[in-house]
Amino acid sequence: MAPAHATNPQAESRLLRLPRELRDEIYAWLFSSTRLSSGTKSFRWGKRRMKPAPNSLALLRTCRQINHEVGHTWLRHVLFSFECPEAMLDKLSALPPETVSQIRHVRTGGMPLVLKPTFDEYDHIYELVWVLKLLPQLRLDTLTVLGPAYGDIAYETLEGLVRKGNGWKVLRYVVPNSTMLGFAEIARFRNEPPYRRGPQPGAWQSVLSGRDGDESDASVKVYRAVQPESSALNPKECCLFEQRIDPLDRSDKFGVKEDVGLMTPGEKRKELLVVVKRGHGVEIAEKDTPPYASPEIREWASGMSWAEISHRCIYYLQDEVENGEGFPYCLSYFKRQDHEVMFDKYSHVDEIEWGWQRKPHIRQIEPDLLLHIFGNELHGVP
């Protein structure tokens, strides 16, 4: 028999004394302000393996009642943040499909992935749109992509997502400068026509309306930071941006030369944000059955898991690229090695730290303090 003075800790909890509907709102607010980070990030002083902030999901381990009330609903609120597409595949492809289908918010780096397909002795470059098709279970409310600083690569990556991307309702594509909308046409190999940008967001809007229907509410909007140090994700620090064709100029000449207004040193340092919204009621699910169209990875992977593809098809070069400069592709292309660990600290889940910046909300943690294990937290172990 319990002593007369014994108390019930749960009965004394102010949180658990609140009505259930209020507790659910608190849970949603807490997890909506939580970011779970993974992957290797390049800084000027070297590379660091990113980990989520300590105790990101500590609430799930406070007591059985809270763990039961929250269940798997936290998956719909937290932001899963990955430094590059390979890190995203490493984490999400290892989870049960039903778990992946409950995730609603993902952020990833947008660098292309380099693989050596089983049918070829040469490497192939796969843009993010083809990488995401390896995760057909995704049903995201928002996909945030941190695009590369190379204007032509950033443009082509986003265009692929607008034309063939699935698995998300809203795409937020952020790039650290304005070169994506200002570069001159790029010469192609094998007698292919030059690659040229179009007037945006009008050209992408036309493509999206063709996919989702002219009568749908699908939309593409571009926002540009007002100052080089401003954030395009902050409504107070950006403004709507639109490119128009000069009526006195020929439309077939747009994009041949660089846009001087966007490419001067001061102007090109301004961030861009492109928000792509799929039409209301449009089916966003990715097709998960063959036949797959070229150049999909699934076309030649023949049912291989990502773990098998990663093991057999990534050729790891010596790590000769420093500070994010040089060959502008996903870090998976380079030799894998152990890196010092950094815990992700932030005041808002949408904060962005480009690789060449050093801000106080990221700090290094000594190895003997690595008490936070991402794998366990991802499964909500109490």
Side-chain angles (χ1 to χ4, degrees):
M1 183 175 180
H5 62 274
T7 60
N8 183 343
Q10 290 184 328
E12 298 298 321
S13 168
R14 292 184 178 181
L15 174 62
L16 295 179
R17 289 165 62 185
L18 293 173
R20 174 63 187 272
E21 58 269 20
L22 289 181
R23 293 203 301 274
D24 289 342
E25 289 187 23
I26 292 173
Y27 300 151
W29 180 88
L30 173 64
F31 291 118
S32 295
S33 61
T34 299
R35 185 168 79 190
L36 300 178
S37 301
S38 180
T40 301
K41 190 178 184 71
S42 290
F43 298 91
R44 287 194 180 277
W45 62 95
K47 294 181 174 63
R48 297 293 184 268
R49 185 161 53 90
M50 303 303 296
K51 285 283 190 176
N55 303 316
S56 295
L57 301 179
L59 182 67
L60 298 176
R61 299 190 293 271
T62 54
C63 71
R64 294 183 183 276
Q65 179 178 341
I66 290 179
N67 182 272
H68 175 73
E69 289 180 354
V70 174
H72 290 94
T73 61
W74 64 273
L75 289 164
R76 301 201 299 262
H77 300 294
V78 300
L79 174 64
F80 290 83
S81 180
F82 305 100
E83 295 300 326
C84 69
E86 185 192 4
M88 176 178 62
L89 290 172
D90 286 346
K91 288 293 183 183
L92 299 187
S93 65
L95 298 175
E98 57 271 18
T99 299
V100 177
S101 67
Q102 295 181 65
I103 295 172
R104 292 294 178 265
H105 306 282
V106 165
R107 186 172 88 173
T108 181
M111 282 296 199
L113 184 65
V114 180
L115 299 174
K116 188 176 73 169
T118 55
F119 66 84
D120 201 340
E121 59 180 320
Y122 298 104
D123 296 327
H124 288 228
I125 298 171
Y126 292 95
E127 297 165 1
L128 184 60
V129 64
W130 308 118
V131 174
L132 288 169
K133 292 181 185 297
L134 295 177
L135 297 168
Q137 302 85 9
L138 286 178
R139 305 290 188 274
L140 302 178
D141 288 340
T142 61
L143 170 64
T144 303
V145 178
L146 305 187
Y150 308 88
D152 56 327
I153 298 175
Y155 188 97
E156 196 165 5
T157 299
L158 175 54
E159 187 161 80
L161 291 168
V162 173
R163 289 185 179 279
K164 296 184 179 296
N166 287 312
W168 44 268
K169 295 179 181 177
V170 177
L171 167 66
R172 302 189 305 170
Y173 192 86
V174 192
V175 287
N177 56 53
S178 296
T179 61
M180 181 178 74
L181 297 183
F183 67 92
E185 68 176 13
I186 306 296
R188 293 297 200 189
F189 298 105
R190 300 176 184 174
N191 298 320
E192 294 180 359
Y195 185 74
R196 189 187 304 175
R197 59 187 170 83
Q200 302 301 348
W204 287 326
Q205 178 67 62
S206 177
V207 171
L208 191 64
S209 296
R211 290 188 67 188
D212 294 353
D214 292 330
E215 303 301 321
S216 75
D217 56 351
S219 66
V220 182
K221 294 183 178 180
V222 177
Y223 300 86
R224 188 167 181 244
V226 296
Q227 298 294 335
E229 302 303 322
S230 300
S231 170
L233 284 169
N234 187 337
K236 297 180 179 180
E237 297 182 355
C238 69
C239 58
L240 276 171
F241 179 82
E242 184 176 2
Q243 293 176 311
R244 298 181 183 273
I245 298 177
D246 189 334
L248 300 179
D249 195 5
R250 293 171 55 189
S251 61
D252 62 343
K253 294 297 183 181
F254 187 91
V256 173
K257 297 180 180 180
E258 70 175 30
D259 187 328
V260 178
L262 295 176
M263 300 295 284
T264 57
E267 293 298 316
K268 72 179 183 180
R269 289 170 49 216
K270 296 180 180 180
E271 281 186 5
L272 288 175
L273 165 66
V274 182
V275 179
V276 183
K277 294 184 179 180
R278 299 296 304 273
H280 180 71
V282 170
E283 177 57 62
I284 64 169
E286 182 61 60
K287 186 184 75 167
D288 194 24
T289 56
Y292 304 116
S294 179
E296 274 204 50
I297 300 170
R298 296 182 295 177
E299 181 190 21
W300 54 262
S302 301
M304 287 194 296
S305 66
W306 165 247
E308 294 171 317
I309 296 172
S310 176
H311 178 71
R312 295 177 55 184
C313 304
I314 295 181
Y315 173 56
Y316 298 104
L317 294 179
Q318 292 296 320
D319 195 357
E320 298 173 347
V321 174
E322 298 295 335
N323 305 325
E325 299 174 357
F327 199 64
Y329 296 107
C330 182
L331 292 176
S332 65
Y333 193 70
F334 306 109
K335 180 181 177 182
R336 276 182 171 170
Q337 56 183 321
D338 291 330
H339 298 290
E340 294 184 44
V341 171
M342 298 181 78
F343 278 173
D344 186 11
K345 290 196 67 178
Y346 53 90
S347 58
H348 192 280
V349 292
D350 276 336
E351 282 182 356
I352 296 175
E353 182 182 33
W354 301 108
W356 56 87
Q357 297 173 337
R358 187 171 187 174
K359 295 182 179 179
H361 69 268
I362 298 289
R363 66 185 179 93
Q364 182 177 342
I365 303 297
E366 297 300 324
D368 60 338
L369 296 179
L370 300 182
L371 304 178
H372 179 84
I373 302 175
F374 188 24
N376 285 347
E377 288 201 343
L378 197 58
H379 288 85
V381 177

